[in-house]
Amino acid sequence: MRLGATEIILIIILALVLFGGGKLAGIGKALGRSIKDFKNEVRETKEDKEEINS
């Protein structure tokens, strides 16, 4: 199942109507921070495993 441009635009408009612009900005910021933290934890875990195996 692939989403086309029309479907994506419709989803964005619906999200804006439901949550408003301010809340969406906050949600996006929180999501970005969560992804960044997850990547850092994965990297640290890999480094820890490499130190143990060395």
Side-chain angles (χ1 to χ4, degrees), residues 2 4-5 7 9 11-12 15 17 21-22 25-26 28-29 37-38 42-43:
R2 300 176 92 183
E7 289 87 4
I9 291 171
I11 291 169
I12 291 171
V17 169
K29 184 177 180 181
D37 289 343
F38 177 76
V42 169
R43 186 177 352 100

Side-chain angles (χ1 to χ4, degrees), residues 1-8 11:
M1 175 186 231
R2 300 176 92 183
L3 294 177
T6 306
E7 289 87 4
I8 293 173
I11 291 169

Side-chain angles (χ1 to χ4, degrees), residues 3 5 7 9 12-13 18 21 23 26 28-29 35-37 45 51:
L3 294 177
E7 289 87 4
I9 291 171
I12 291 171
I13 291 172
L18 290 175
K23 276 218 175 189
K29 184 177 180 181
I35 292 171
K36 181 180 174 185
D37 289 343
T45 302
E51 286 178 7

Side-chain angles (χ1 to χ4, degrees), residues 32-49:
R33 188 177 304 132
S34 298
I35 292 171
K36 181 180 174 185
D37 289 343
F38 177 76
K39 286 181 180 181
N40 287 337
E41 289 296 323
V42 169
R43 186 177 352 100
E44 288 176 5
T45 302
K46 284 182 181 179
E47 290 172 357
D48 289 345
K49 284 184 178 181

